[in-house]
Amino acid sequence: GGFVGVLWLGARAVATGEMSFGDLASMVLYALYAGSGFGMLAEVYGEVMRAAGAADRAAEVLNAEPEITAPEHPVALPATVTGALEFDDVTFRYGDETVSALEHFSLSVKPGEFVALVGPSGAGKTTVFRLALRLFDVQSGRIVLDGVSAMQADPRDWRQQFAYAPQESALFTGTAAQNIGFGTDNPDEALLENAARMAEAFEFLAEKDGLATDLGQKGRSLSGGQRQRVALARALVRDAPVLLLDEATSALDSESEAAVRRAISNAADGRTTLVIAHRLSTVRRADRIIVMEHGRIVEEGNHDQLVAKGGLYARLAELQFAEG
């Protein structure tokens, strides 16, 4: 608007002889400079306001009081946790929901045991993981690790005994070493490399720049199977006694699934492992398969035993392998 005004007034002044054409050209140039300057100031103001909003949100998150707090006199976990995990008659529901996500759920996992949780969507499998990590407290029953109840332990100490690889691997811009070591205090290169080898990730990283490989934004330089193995390496670098894997082979092709299955087999060696899987080929080698429905355990056994029973697991297996 200012540029048009200067041009209009200057044109009239040139027409009446009050201003020369050179003066008009100078005024138009100055108007352009002033307009672009104000435009840049407007952009800077917009960026400042967006940054202020983000800072307010970050401060809100940092200042939030956690609902899960340590008891006044927390019970210390053993110096060496073996990974004996037990759910004792656990009932849990989210918020004000009337239907329980878990109903009188009892499960005892021995140290070093590989247990798979299967069942239809909404059966409560992910809830088991959330409660194991103590992201929520149960309404009744208790969860025990090596004889210590989750309600009696310090949440920070409790969660350090678990390594978790989610269904959606959250990678960020940076190197493979930074992504694998995220959440672990000052891991050395040998530890990072060992975790990458166990997760079957070191081979494809070595084809690039090794642990210095830049993964790009959200790990976009990697395939789905490679991202899943990097996420598994991040869980393994913690060297926790209990490993939780949520849908580790979801949405993968056959070759990537086979690589992730090998990585899971490596990871499960010597530690208690719980795996959630819809693809039953992932859990065939499990010591025990827990079949869940409506927050309860409806079947339990190994793959051959459950198929022979002809129950829910057999139906899921028949549907899946028929689709395959």
Side-chain angles (χ1 to χ4, degrees):
F3 173 74
V4 171
V6 167
L7 189 61
W8 171 253
L9 293 175
R12 291 185 59 183
V14 169
T16 58
E18 298 177 10
M19 180 183 292
S20 68
F21 186 78
D23 292 337
L24 175 60
S26 298
M27 292 301 298
V28 169
L29 187 62
Y30 294 151
L32 284 173
Y33 287 152
S36 63
F38 278 112
M40 292 176 64
L41 286 175
E43 291 181 9
V44 170
Y45 179 76
E47 294 290 339
V48 169
M49 295 307 296
R50 279 193 289 270
D56 288 342
R57 176 57 183 155
E60 180 181 341
V61 172
L62 291 173
N63 294 329
E65 292 292 334
E67 296 181 4
I68 307 298
T69 57
E72 186 174 351
H73 301 289
V75 176
L77 288 160
T80 302
V81 175
T82 63
L85 182 63
E86 182 181 0
F87 290 77
D88 182 15
D89 196 29
V90 170
T91 296
F92 173 78
R93 66 181 59 87
Y94 291 99
D96 298 328
E97 293 186 11
T98 56
V99 179
S100 297
L102 292 180
E103 187 75 28
H104 299 294
F105 180 85
S106 294
L107 173 65
S108 181
V109 184
K110 300 175 183 177
E113 190 176 14
F114 184 175
V115 175
L117 304 179
V118 302
S121 297
K125 303 183 297 296
T126 301
T127 301
V128 171
F129 278 21
R130 291 172 178 170
L131 295 179
L133 292 168
R134 209 187 166 193
L135 302 181
F136 300 93
D137 281 334
V138 300
Q139 276 86 34
S140 66
R142 62 181 191 145
I143 302 172
V144 179
L145 180 64
D146 276 28
V148 179
S149 171
M151 300 290 288
Q152 297 175 325
D154 187 315
R156 184 182 296 273
D157 294 338
W158 177 274
R159 291 169 187 149
Q160 285 179 348
Q161 311 308 318
F162 293 84
Y164 175 54
Q167 180 177 356
E168 296 292 334
S169 51
L171 304 183
F172 53 85
T173 303
T175 65
Q178 290 170 334
N179 274 274
I180 293 173
F182 180 72
T184 305
D185 294 333
N186 302 318
D188 57 33
E189 187 172 346
L191 187 62
L192 295 174
E193 182 177 333
N194 182 58
R197 288 187 184 277
M198 289 183 62
E200 300 269 335
F202 191 77
E203 184 176 345
F204 67 79
L205 291 174
E207 294 175 356
K208 301 178 182 180
D209 295 324
L211 293 175
T213 300
D214 188 359
L215 303 187
Q217 186 177 10
K218 296 183 179 180
R220 64 182 179 185
S221 66
L222 304 178
S223 67
Q226 290 172 341
R227 284 197 297 270
Q228 197 66 49
R229 280 176 276 171
V230 170
L232 181 56
R234 177 189 292 169
L236 293 177
V237 80
R238 293 173 56 86
D239 196 26
V242 182
L243 176 63
L244 306 177
L245 303 176
D246 188 355
E247 294 288 358
T249 59
S250 62
L252 298 182
D253 58 72
S254 299
E255 184 176 356
S256 297
E257 181 186 356
V260 173
R261 281 207 309 268
R262 291 194 303 269
I264 292 173
S265 179
N266 296 336
D269 188 24
R271 55 170 55 87
T272 303
T273 305
L274 275 74
V275 176
I276 294 175
H278 283 130
R279 301 180 75 159
L280 303 184
S281 57
T282 307
V283 300
R284 281 191 170 189
R285 70 164 296 274
D287 299 322
R288 240 186 328 151
I289 299 174
I290 306 298
V291 186
M292 298 181 61
E293 188 175 28
H294 304 307
R296 296 175 179 268
I297 296 176
V298 295
E299 292 178 338
E300 183 177 343
N302 60 35
H303 173 78
D304 294 333
Q305 291 171 343
L306 292 174
V307 170
K309 284 183 179 179
L312 176 59
Y313 182 88
R315 293 198 302 273
L316 293 173
E318 182 181 359
L319 288 171
Q320 187 171 125
F321 295 135
E323 290 174 358

